[in-house]
Amino acid sequence: EVQLVQSGAEVKKPGESLKISCKGSGYSFTTYYIAWVRQMPGKGLEWMGIIYPGDSDTRYSPSLQGQVTISADKSISTAYLQWSNLKASDTAMYYCARHEYSRGTWGWFDPWGQGTLVTVSS
Amino acid sequence: QSVLTQSPSVSGAPGQRVTISCTGSSSNIGAGYDVHWYQQLPGTAPKLLIYGNNNRPSGVPDRFSGSKSGTSASLAITGLQAEDEADYYCQSYDSSLSLVFGGGTKLTVL
């Protein structure tokens, strides 16, 4: 079974750093993109960025470029999303999802991780 | 403001048919990029419902169907059931180099 398992909920203070994880299993981790998607409280889904663990090729949403860093360690089939200076506005649920690049173009997300809730509050 | 526009809410009685629309532009859906749909039940992660405009993953009931025309796409749900009450999101690619989602539509089963 293809599965993505994310790290647990985090409570942080503004200005702190954070790295959350997403571990893939049941498939070849290096041959599929992994994306990160943000869902702020009561809001919709927002694509943040994507990484290809095979060669670490990484793309970011133009609106979020520079605010987060996406990385991956293919030796342990794990992708990461990190912040160096958290803000209260980073409070959200963060999902990782495997991306299907189909017919030479960007495709769909399946499956999704269970989500990691990040709360930033003083 | 989302690049793909969805109505905030839709409702229907059990057994009825409802459609959820997703309107884009010439830089995404109208440029020929595929549309995909997700269902997010309350308190859970999104789940793929339709991929490649009109394909259902294994396990998704055939009550769900997708279509695409011009700069828009639609998700149709027939034989509405109480368990279908959820948020639904469309997703595509935009030539601004972004994967994009619609703002989401909340389906209420009356």
Side-chain angles (χ1 to χ4, degrees):
Chain A
E1 177 195 8
V2 177
Q3 202 171 9
L4 297 175
V5 177
Q6 298 184 227
S7 49
E10 301 274 1
V11 179
K12 292 289 189 179
K13 290 181 166 45
E16 292 186 334
S17 62
L18 175 65
K19 191 174 189 177
I20 63 175
S21 67
C22 169
K23 183 173 176 60
S25 63
Y27 73 100
S28 175
F29 187 73
T30 57
T31 58
Y32 286 85
Y33 284 88
I34 292 283
W36 286 96
V37 176
R38 178 172 75 177
Q39 187 167 37
M40 299 176 78
K43 302 298 184 183
L45 305 174
E46 181 181 12
W47 175 70
M48 301 179 71
I50 199 164
I51 187 166
Y52 189 74
D55 61 7
S56 293
D57 175 38
T58 308
R59 323 282 178 95
Y60 294 93
S61 164
S63 62
L64 290 169
Q65 180 95 38
Q67 297 183 34
V68 295
T69 301
I70 294 171
S71 60
D73 184 341
K74 60 186 178 183
S75 70
I76 55 172
S77 301
T78 301
Y80 302 97
L81 177 65
Q82 69 180 86
W83 296 260
S84 59
N85 181 15
L86 283 162
K87 305 175 181 58
S89 57
D90 292 317
T91 294
M93 181 70 82
Y94 293 88
Y95 294 102
C96 64
R98 192 180 77 167
H99 184 77
E100 188 77 35
Y101 190 83
S102 174
R103 291 183 286 132
T105 188
W106 299 98
W108 58 92
F109 302 103
D110 181 56
W112 295 61
Q114 83 277 19
T116 295
L117 181 61
V118 173
T119 303
V120 183
S121 174
S122 55
Chain B
Q1 289 282 33
S2 302
V3 173
L4 304 179
T5 301
Q6 297 181 238
S7 297
S9 64
V10 67
S11 62
Q16 283 190 332
R17 178 182 188 271
V18 296
T19 60
I20 296 172
S21 64
C22 174
T23 302
S25 69
S26 58
S27 65
N28 40 69
I29 299 174
Y33 295 110
D34 287 342
V35 178
H36 321 288
W37 292 90
Y38 303 88
Q39 178 192 59
Q40 186 176 31
L41 296 169
T44 69
K47 168 193 160 187
L48 179 67
L49 202 60
I50 297 287
Y51 67 94
N53 305 317
N54 55 14
N55 300 288
R56 281 177 288 105
S58 172
V60 173
D62 60 7
R63 301 185 297 105
F64 295 90
S65 62
S67 64
K68 173 189 158 185
S69 178
T71 59
S72 295
S74 291
L75 172 71
I77 310 172
T78 59
L80 206 57
Q81 299 181 3
E83 68 205 50
D84 298 332
E85 188 159 289
D87 293 326
Y88 293 84
Y89 295 90
C90 59
Q91 176 251 313
S92 186
Y93 178 77
D94 189 274
S95 55
S96 63
L97 304 181
S98 282
L99 288 150
V100 291
F101 288 96
T105 297
K106 182 177 181 61
L107 169 63
T108 300
V109 180
L110 301 170

